Amino acid sequence: MKLIRFGKPNREQPGIQTQEGKNLDCSSFGEDWNEAFFENDGLSRLANWLKTNQSQLKEIPANSRIGSPVARPSKILCIGLNYRKHAEEAGMAVPEVPIIFMKATSSLCGPFDPIFIPKNSVKTDWEVELAVVIGKRAKYVKKENAYDYIAGYCLHNDVSERDFQLHHGGQWVKGKSADHFAPLGPVLVTKEEIPDPHNLRLWLKLNGKMLQDSNTSDLIFDIPTLIEHLSQYMTLLPGDVISTGTPAGVGMGLKPEPQYLVNGDIVELGIEGLGVSRQVAINDPES
């Protein structure tokens, strides 16, 4: 299945995307795609419900806003320097253990919403990433059982303000958590539709120029390793998002000079099987 959410911010309705690419309204199912839905075997219940109800569902209006396919999760966990070539371009050693940081859940937005360049920002950057959505409570998980805890996968742009991240003191979270710094989606694709998440092309263009073009086979720590590692330190809850890292080609690593987002820039990104998103960078309206 491919899950979507649509409608105005904070008022999204649940839906699905069919194999033919039609977006259907599932509000009559009576639940949002949130922690309670995943916790209570929602994917199985939805699949069974669709067998008898899908033919009666209405297609959503073509101009509908698409939101994050997951309602605000308890955590957005991110992995730093998890692609070999990205570690090389950053001039950093390949990590011996996963580098973990968080994004504020208030940074979550839809896949076609604008990127807000924060007040006083000078280095807002892009990062195409494969995100994993947790399907059930996970604590002290072993690698060999990790896939049992996965609901599905999403496309994520881990937008980052490098000056905030690296030069404002403290942990990376300062540079990762501004409003609209986590465009997620357009769809959550359930795990049975992605047989090998470690062999997916992922790419990103800035103003039509390809800057990131890689494959998840370059991951340093694979998804089972990440779930095992994270679940030793915290309980992963249904709907939690794990963003697995970005490949080479971020603005900070460009040669001969770094490049960062400015007002009006257009970012397009995609992952094989997970769809494409597009964001226009604009100065934060509240700045």
Side-chain angles (χ1 to χ4, degrees):
M1 288 186 295
K2 293 182 173 69
L3 276 58
I4 63 167
R5 296 171 68 251
F6 66 96
K8 295 181 179 180
N10 302 314
R11 295 171 57 188
E12 291 91 347
Q13 297 293 319
I16 61 163
Q17 185 176 97
T18 68
Q19 296 295 333
E20 298 75 31
K22 292 182 178 180
N23 291 333
L24 303 181
D25 183 346
C26 289
S27 55
S28 55
F29 182 69
E31 300 178 43
D32 199 359
W33 314 147
N34 55 21
E35 181 178 340
F37 167 77
F38 292 110
E39 184 176 31
N40 292 290
D41 199 26
L43 290 175
S44 295
R45 291 187 292 105
L46 176 62
N48 289 329
W49 182 82
L50 288 170
K51 290 176 183 177
T52 55
N53 291 278
Q54 182 167 330
S55 62
Q56 302 163 24
L57 300 180
K58 293 182 179 180
E59 194 167 355
I60 71 172
N63 62 348
S64 297
R65 171 186 173 270
I66 301 298
S68 162
V70 180
R72 187 179 295 176
S74 82
K75 296 183 282 297
I76 303 174
L77 293 158
C78 300
I79 310 300
L81 296 176
N82 200 28
Y83 282 77
R84 289 170 181 85
K85 293 177 182 177
H86 178 47
E88 291 172 8
E89 76 172 352
M92 298 182 181
V94 172
E96 295 183 5
V97 296
I99 296 172
I100 303 168
F101 61 91
M102 289 188 175
K103 296 176 82 83
T105 57
S106 57
S107 66
L108 193 69
C109 68
F112 306 106
D113 291 343
I115 292 170
F116 290 165
I117 300 175
K119 182 178 181 180
N120 300 320
S121 168
V122 293
K123 295 181 179 180
T124 296
D125 205 346
W126 55 84
E127 297 189 19
V128 59
E129 304 200 4
L130 170 65
V132 179
V133 179
I134 295 297
K136 63 180 181 180
R137 184 178 182 273
K139 187 174 183 179
Y140 304 137
V141 174
K142 297 297 184 184
K143 282 194 291 187
E144 53 268 27
N145 301 320
Y147 285 108
D148 295 342
Y149 295 85
I150 294 174
Y153 307 96
C154 295
L155 170 64
H156 176 223
N157 189 356
D158 175 20
V159 184
S160 308
E161 212 300 340
R162 303 300 190 186
D163 190 53
F164 295 1
Q165 176 186 350
L166 301 173
H167 302 123
H168 284 216
Q171 215 261 1
W172 287 2
V173 67
K174 289 182 180 178
K176 298 286 187 171
S177 296
D179 292 348
H180 285 219
F181 263 32
L184 192 70
V187 292
L188 185 161
V189 181
T190 51
K191 62 184 176 184
E192 70 275 2
E193 295 199 18
I194 306 294
D196 185 3
H198 300 104
N199 186 25
L200 301 175
R201 181 183 176 228
L202 68 170
W203 57 270
L204 181 144
K205 296 179 182 179
L206 176 64
N207 299 324
K209 181 179 179 181
M210 186 74 73
L211 293 179
Q212 293 186 277
D213 192 357
S214 188
N215 192 287
T216 54
S217 61
D218 192 44
L219 282 168
I220 296 168
F221 302 105
D222 65 14
I223 292 166
T225 299
L226 294 176
I227 291 174
E228 178 182 74
H229 185 78
L230 289 165
S231 69
Q232 307 309 303
Y233 297 100
M234 66 194 80
T235 300
L236 304 176
L237 296 178
D240 280 358
V241 175
I242 302 171
S243 200
T244 58
T246 197
V250 299
M252 180 175 63
L254 293 182
K255 303 292 189 291
E257 294 291 335
Q259 181 179 354
Y260 299 104
L261 295 175
V262 297
N263 191 66
D265 278 346
I266 299 172
V267 181
E268 299 169 280
L269 57 152
I271 299 180
E272 180 183 354
L274 302 182
V276 174
S277 69
R278 181 183 186 273
Q279 299 100 40
V280 178
I282 65 172
N283 294 326
D284 189 331
E286 296 184 79
S287 63

